[in-house]
Amino acid sequence: MKKLLLLLTFVLFATSSVFAGHKLFSAGKSRYSIVVCDNASKSEKTAAEELQIYLKQISGVELPIMSEKEVKKNEPHIFVGYCDKYGKMLGVESPAEGDEGFTYRNVGKNIWIYGGKQRGTMYGVYTFLEREFGIRWYTKDCTKVPEAKSWKFSELNHSETPAVGIRQMDYFDAQDAAFLAHNKVNSIWNSQVNDYGNLVGYWRCHTFEHFVSSNKYFDSHPEYFSLRDGERKPYTQLCLSNPDVLELCRKGMLQVIKEFPNYWVYSLSQNDNQNYCQCEKCTEIANRYGGQSGLLLWFVNQVADVVKEHHPDKHISTFAYQYTRGVPTGITPRDNVVIRLCSIECCFGHPLSECDHNKPFMEDIRKWKDVAGKLFIWDYVTNFRQYLAPFPNFNVLAPNIKTFIDHNVIGIYEEGQYQSTGGSFADLRIWVLNKLLWNPEQDTMALVDDFITGYYGAAAPYVKEYFDLCHAQLKDDTVLDIFYVESHPIFSEEFLKRANELVDKACQAVENESDELKYRVDLVRLQMKYLHLVREPHEALEDGTYDYFVDFIRRHKIRVLEWEDVEGWIRWYNKTYLGRE
């Protein structure tokens, strides 16, 4: 019996030792090194360096970075990237270079983080830091790094792939390459070579005026431009049936590609107005192909054909936007044409697939799915008439992204306040959208809670209650478009009273905190200051709100309206609301 007890004790001790796991670090010490493969890409090297930096911030110990040839057989390592020499240990093939998916796992005491060389491995490193250690890259200027005395593991095996290939974010405060890489956004307007696997560039939009400028051509060639009510007019659209216009666009596009070769797609798209050409030839072609979208596609296809001859790897993009949103008949996009479908007319208070107001858009996206081999979404996530007014649309972000993905889109572009910092919960919306573009199956409100708790400090409970209050104003029949004004029914007197109480409490909670934290909370309160300013302009002038607001937006260079800069908006407000020049 004594021998049996001793045997059981030994077994239990051995078992507990196995399940105690491998220690990555403890008490400021570690046996681990970070291994960078001999054929590592620039982004993999960047990721390895940042892994070293962040693990030091977490643990207090700096893991050395070494090459493959320095690997010691009996020592533990974190391998960053797929090293051919040791890849057989994993039992998997080397990922494709452009594969943005990744895996991190352990083989015994060794940790492997690997994916495609361009960005996949890098995303794996950042996800490892985020999921296992709780790091958060909330904004480009706010990173939360928890500290830990020790960390151990017994089994690691986590893989992810992006839900959509091209993820484009257009907020003023979401253009930093490191911030975008940390949160897995891979595209901006301007093509960018950087240390994070580069950023995919989308060359411009509304480009008719670029290729055939009214300033340059209208006086000598008015026939290049739209015929409206019997008269040719500049700064409208182009006369797409004119062969000279086609030739200018062909040559112009080839010149653009020559000057800016690093983009994957180049826009040939209507100007931002509804003044399409009504001449007899344009009308005949439009009627032949089911409407203005058919005329536009007929024109764009001809430019795309020339581009394919010279640049078979490049794409031409055009809009399905406003008067061209409908699907044409009897014509389809060339295989190098990207259709950029825009949701500008939609309601954003309810998911696209669940709102009667959005039925026409849903019909269009279903039809475009069937004819467009490359469908790219232009989505809208703020109020462009009133950047600072509450815009309670967080409940639609994930469902709408999933709707787009269900229709086989190759990319999603989220347009927010792109002209200045600030805006209604801009920082929160940027971070949540970044997460959902990668994986829309995540719990949106869990992401919101994560950000608010980590970003607003002592004010977080009041900020969250205010956030919830804003979203509670949405009813089944609420239509929330992107140009609503301060008289919208969601801004009831009861709402305004409670909202002001909450944002005041939020500011009081951080009175003795840092200037940065107070500024974050002041931006939340600015939403209510703005509503008071435009709903009760004369009262706001008398009670000091006007002076406070104007000083704040001037100091922080915050735009209030898409089509007016700060000073222009102040002049417009004074004239429109106060009746003074």
Side-chain angles (χ1 to χ4, degrees), residues 39 81-84 87 90-97 99 114-117:
N39 61 347
Y82 185 96
C83 302
D84 293 333
L90 297 170
V92 296
E93 296 294 323
S94 176
E97 183 172 342
D99 184 356
Y114 60 92
K117 286 188 174 299

Side-chain angles (χ1 to χ4, degrees), residues 11 20 51 59 66 199 205 255 346 428 469 487 501 556 558:
V11 171
L51 179 63
S59 67
M66 62 175 55
L199 284 164
C205 64
Q255 182 61 33
C346 291
L428 171 61
L469 178 69
S487 59
E501 291 172 354
H556 299 290
I558 295 173

Side-chain angles (χ1 to χ4, degrees), residues 483-497:
F483 300 110
Y484 68 80
V485 294
E486 65 272 9
S487 59
H488 196 283
I490 63 172
F491 302 134
S492 67
E493 291 301 323
E494 182 182 2
F495 162 76
L496 294 171
K497 181 177 183 297

Side-chain angles (χ1 to χ4, degrees), residues 279-553:
C279 78
E280 184 176 344
K281 288 185 178 179
C282 283
T283 301
E284 185 276 322
I285 298 169
N287 290 339
R288 187 194 317 166
Y289 293 119
Q292 290 297 318
S293 61
L295 169 63
L296 176 62
L297 187 55
W298 170 82
F299 182 84
V300 170
N301 276 348
Q302 294 177 78
V303 176
D305 288 341
V306 171
V307 168
K308 189 171 184 177
E309 291 177 15
H310 295 83
H311 305 282
D313 60 325
K314 301 299 185 183
H315 293 79
I316 302 303
S317 171
T318 199
F319 278 137
Y321 173 63
Q322 294 183 331
Y323 69 86
T324 62
R325 200 185 80 184
V327 181
T329 57
I331 188 172
T332 57
R334 297 287 196 265
D335 59 6
N336 64 333
V337 169
V338 175
I339 299 298
R340 198 155 198 180
L341 176 61
C342 306
S343 59
I344 191 168
E345 298 91 353
C346 291
C347 166
F348 298 97
H350 310 94
L352 291 168
S353 60
E354 301 175 14
C355 180
D356 287 344
H357 185 86
N358 295 327
K359 284 183 177 179
F361 177 84
M362 289 303 301
E363 182 65 20
D364 284 341
I365 194 173
R366 280 191 288 268
K367 291 180 179 179
W368 276 115
K369 174 187 175 183
D370 293 335
V371 302
K374 296 179 176 67
L375 184 60
F376 196 115
I377 296 296
W378 182 312
D379 192 30
Y380 305 82
V381 290
T382 195
N383 179 354
F384 292 88
R385 186 182 296 274
Q386 297 183 324
Y387 280 143
L388 298 178
F391 191 68
N393 70 328
F394 280 76
N395 58 308
V396 311
L397 298 181
N400 286 358
I401 291 172
K402 285 190 275 190
T403 291
F404 300 144
I405 292 170
D406 288 344
H407 290 81
N408 299 337
V409 303
I410 64 169
I412 299 172
Y413 164 76
E414 301 287 9
E415 185 181 18
Q417 185 171 345
Y418 60 93
Q419 297 156 308
S420 78
T421 191
S424 170
F425 279 123
D427 288 336
L428 171 61
R429 193 176 283 106
I430 291 167
W431 190 75
V432 171
L433 277 168
N434 287 346
K435 300 300 180 189
L436 295 177
L437 284 172
W438 178 265
N439 175 15
E441 299 300 330
Q442 297 179 80
D443 184 334
T444 301
M445 289 308 132
L447 293 171
V448 168
D449 288 343
D450 186 327
F451 185 96
I452 288 178
T453 300
Y455 193 66
Y456 292 107
Y462 304 111
V463 173
K464 181 56 165 58
E465 191 173 349
Y466 167 69
F467 174 92
D468 291 340
L469 178 69
C470 291
H471 285 76
Q473 306 314 302
L474 297 173
K475 310 303 179 188
D476 289 344
D477 60 348
T478 302
V479 175
L480 194 71
D481 64 31
I482 61 170
F483 300 110
Y484 68 80
V485 294
E486 65 272 9
S487 59
H488 196 283
I490 63 172
F491 302 134
S492 67
E493 291 301 323
E494 182 182 2
F495 162 76
L496 294 171
K497 181 177 183 297
R498 181 57 182 156
N500 276 295
E501 291 172 354
L502 290 170
V503 296
D504 286 345
K505 287 181 178 179
C507 289
Q508 291 166 12
V510 295
E511 280 182 347
N512 298 319
E513 302 291 342
S514 67
D515 289 343
E516 175 59 30
L517 185 55
K518 285 189 284 190
Y519 170 70
R520 295 174 195 169
V521 180
D522 280 339
L523 279 178
V524 177
R525 182 171 61 176
L526 199 66
Q527 299 174 36
M528 302 314 298
K529 293 287 188 183
Y530 172 77
L531 283 180
H532 180 53
L533 194 74
V534 293
R535 287 172 65 94
E536 304 292 343
H538 293 285
E539 183 179 319
L541 185 63
E542 294 176 2
D543 65 20
T545 300
Y546 174 86
D547 290 335
Y548 171 87
F549 186 88
V550 167
D551 175 68
F552 194 96
I553 65 172

